[in-house]
Amino acid sequence: GENVEQHPSTLSVQEGDSAVIKCTYSDSASNYFPWYKQELGKRPQLIIDIRSNVGEKKDQRIAVTLNKTAKHFSLHITETQPEDSAVYFCAANFGNEKLTFGTGTRLTIIP
Amino acid sequence: GAVVSQHPSRVICKSGTSVKIECRSLDFQATTMFWYRQFPKQSLMLMATSNEGSKATYEQGVEKDKFLINHASLTLSTLTVTSAHPEDSSFYICSAPGRVHTDTQYFGPGTRLTVL
């Protein structure tokens, strides 16, 4: 099956600085890569996604880059704010719309 | 987007009892829904794919006789944890594919199951 690795597992950044989270995937057939933000006890919320026909996508302070050749994709958050503190999960699709999730990154924004 | 609800949000039960969790798509029809389990400080693990009108497909290592899934209508899937034990205590979350992009998944609010 699909394997998705995510790094780092924890990340602390000063408010206003940028945060970068990286993921690699194993199935070369994967073509959809979403990122979810999950606050404690809550549901995962889709914050941005990218499909394999593009290399980069941006939505305000959040961007995702994809390198299909290397099979890795990254989440970039700029001008971080305290409310960005949460656990972030990357994911990749495989067979029939199923998603495999990365192991998660606990992001802490230091005021 | 798409709105997915789950019920109950929290349930506490005694060991050996069964618990049913409902997942509903509120403003759209979903022929497919997914069930995940998330242990504390861990990632989401796909348990099974619920298919309307047919049998669910289970991921490797998930006991189909223990985790019964029924997808009786286009807006409702249920997960029944049978003969629950303390090790089944977890956060159970369902999701449904989006209407426009079916590879996008929208999650329900989750059900916190505690088995005493």
Side-chain angles (χ1 to χ4, degrees):
Chain A
E2 173 74 278
N3 185 46
V4 178
E5 294 189 0
Q6 182 171 347
H7 299 281
S9 57
T10 60
L11 178 61
S12 296
V13 301
Q14 209 70 37
E15 182 178 355
D17 288 350
S18 296
V20 180
I21 304 171
K22 299 182 179 182
C23 288
T24 59
Y25 60 98
S26 60
D27 188 350
S28 56
S30 295
N31 57 8
Y32 176 64
F33 309 92
W35 285 90
Y36 287 87
K37 175 183 181 182
Q38 187 179 31
E39 297 177 355
L40 188 62
K42 302 285 182 65
R43 77 183 84 194
Q45 289 193 306
L46 180 69
I47 57 171
I48 197 167
D49 56 12
I50 191 167
R51 290 181 172 80
S52 58
N53 56 340
V54 297
E56 185 172 357
K57 183 177 177 181
K58 190 173 182 180
D59 182 3
Q60 299 183 342
R61 296 187 297 109
I62 297 172
V64 57
T65 59
L66 170 65
N67 184 327
K68 279 223 78 178
T69 303
K71 290 192 280 189
H72 65 70
F73 57 112
S74 301
L75 176 71
H76 304 253
I77 306 174
T78 59
E79 301 172 29
T80 53
Q81 301 167 3
E83 52 265 36
D84 294 331
S85 294
V87 179
Y88 291 81
F89 292 98
C90 63
N93 69 330
F94 71 102
N96 296 329
E97 304 167 342
K98 293 195 284 189
L99 291 177
T100 294
F101 284 80
T103 47
T105 297
R106 182 172 299 279
L107 176 63
T108 302
I109 307 302
I110 304 166
Chain B
V3 180
V4 179
S5 72
Q6 254 181 270
H7 179 81
S9 58
R10 289 180 175 272
V11 58
I12 301 172
C13 69
K14 292 183 178 180
S15 186
T17 60
S18 294
V19 174
K20 180 187 282 189
I21 302 169
E22 294 185 347
C23 178
R24 293 182 186 272
S25 55
L26 296 186
D27 55 352
F28 66 106
Q29 294 181 333
T31 56
T32 300
M33 290 184 180
F34 301 96
W35 285 97
Y36 294 84
R37 180 168 51 183
Q38 186 177 32
F39 291 109
K41 298 186 178 181
Q42 293 190 23
S43 187
L44 289 85
M45 298 299 295
L46 179 65
M47 298 175 66
T49 303
S50 175
N51 305 298
E52 189 270 334
S54 64
K55 291 182 179 180
T57 52
Y58 290 80
E59 295 302 304
Q60 194 171 11
V62 178
E63 301 174 58
K64 59 181 68 176
D65 294 331
K66 180 168 181 64
F67 299 99
L68 301 179
I69 291 173
N70 184 277
H71 196 146
S73 77
L74 287 170
T75 59
L76 174 64
S77 174
T78 61
L79 168 68
T80 301
V81 183
T82 62
S83 187
H85 291 284
E87 56 266 30
D88 297 323
S89 298
S90 187
F91 193 49
Y92 292 85
I93 318 176
C94 67
S95 72
R99 283 171 290 187
V100 176
H101 295 292
T102 56
D103 48 9
T104 301
Q105 290 187 23
Y106 295 93
F107 286 86
T111 298
R112 173 76 56 194
L113 171 63
T114 302
V115 184
L116 303 177

